[in-house]
Amino acid sequence: MLSRLLLSLLLACATPVVAQASALEVSVKRVDVDDAHVFDVAASGTVQAAPAAVWKVLTAYERMPQFVPDMQSAKVLSRNGSEVIVEQFGVARFLFLSRDIHLVVRINETPMSAIDIGLVSGDMKLYHCRWELTPMPETGGTRISYSGRLVPKFYVPGMLGASVVRSDVQRMLSAVFGYLDAPSPATPAAPAAPAAP
């Protein structure tokens, strides 16, 4: 789905995340702005990972296809200080339909606290999102807040659009949170040792 790829930036996890999913708070509203149907997204939740580990994962843009559902590839085109240009390919799914999605986004990093993502070009009329990280000193974990405004160039069902986007945001964030709370989230799991003969 659109948001799996897009939110995905920033921000496919193989580990079930039932506990994390119940801790997520996700809200999606469709509002009309200048004859456009804008999806306003707000979501938040907590992970056990420390802010430094969360930051490392969320800014490893080329590795995101490893754990973001329906993101097929991500490539850093340029980096200039805190500004990064990233090209992404993925699949957007609505009910029984799917379509390929291509985006080039500009990312502005505020180290250890926020990631702002804006559209350069691609299959969206409007795309802006923001990740915010808040340390949780009492647990050593991190509170993650995600907000975004989306207007796709392709048709999204009006009556069902907000609920479809919400479902996909929940799925995407559950995958991200599950990846963050897995052992050593910044390092791919080591292959299993072969069985003894």
Side-chain angles (χ1 to χ4, degrees):
M1 148 59 216
L2 159 76
S3 52
R4 288 181 218 145
L5 165 65
L6 306 174
L7 306 173
S8 73
L9 282 163
L10 269 216
L11 249 236
C13 179
T15 305
V17 284
V18 175
Q20 285 295 344
S22 64
L24 288 174
E25 299 172 9
V26 179
S27 169
V28 176
K29 297 178 181 177
R30 196 191 83 168
V31 295
D32 293 333
V33 179
D34 297 330
D35 296 325
H37 301 310
V38 179
F39 292 99
D40 275 337
V41 179
S44 63
T46 58
V47 294
Q48 297 173 8
V54 174
W55 181 262
K56 187 173 182 178
V57 168
L58 293 182
T59 56
Y61 307 112
E62 293 186 343
R63 293 182 56 191
M64 286 194 162
Q66 296 177 17
F67 60 93
V68 175
D70 293 333
M71 184 182 290
Q72 297 172 335
S73 69
K75 180 180 180 181
V76 173
L77 300 180
S78 68
R79 179 181 283 274
N80 182 11
S82 62
E83 182 180 279
V84 188
I85 304 297
V86 177
E87 181 178 39
Q88 296 181 323
F89 289 91
V91 178
R93 302 183 192 279
F94 286 95
L95 303 176
F96 302 109
L97 304 175
S98 66
R99 66 168 287 156
D100 293 336
I101 294 290
H102 171 242
L103 291 176
V104 176
V105 295
R106 176 177 289 106
I107 301 170
N108 287 292
E109 302 172 344
T110 304
M112 301 300 165
S113 63
I115 301 168
D116 286 286
I117 305 165
L119 181 68
V120 175
S121 63
D123 296 314
M124 299 289 289
K125 295 178 182 176
L126 170 68
Y127 177 66
H128 178 266
C129 68
R130 178 178 174 88
W131 295 91
E132 293 184 7
L133 311 183
T134 305
M136 306 277 290
E138 62 276 16
T139 65
T142 308
R143 181 167 184 81
I144 301 174
S145 299
Y146 178 88
S147 59
R149 300 198 94 194
L150 319 172
V151 180
K153 284 185 177 178
F154 49 89
Y155 174 71
V156 178
M159 294 286 290
L160 299 174
S163 62
V164 170
V165 171
R166 183 188 184 283
S167 174
D168 289 338
V169 170
Q170 181 108 18
R171 179 173 180 264
M172 183 276 296
L173 288 177
S174 292
V176 173
F177 282 25
Y179 184 81
L180 287 166
D181 275 339
S184 301
T187 307

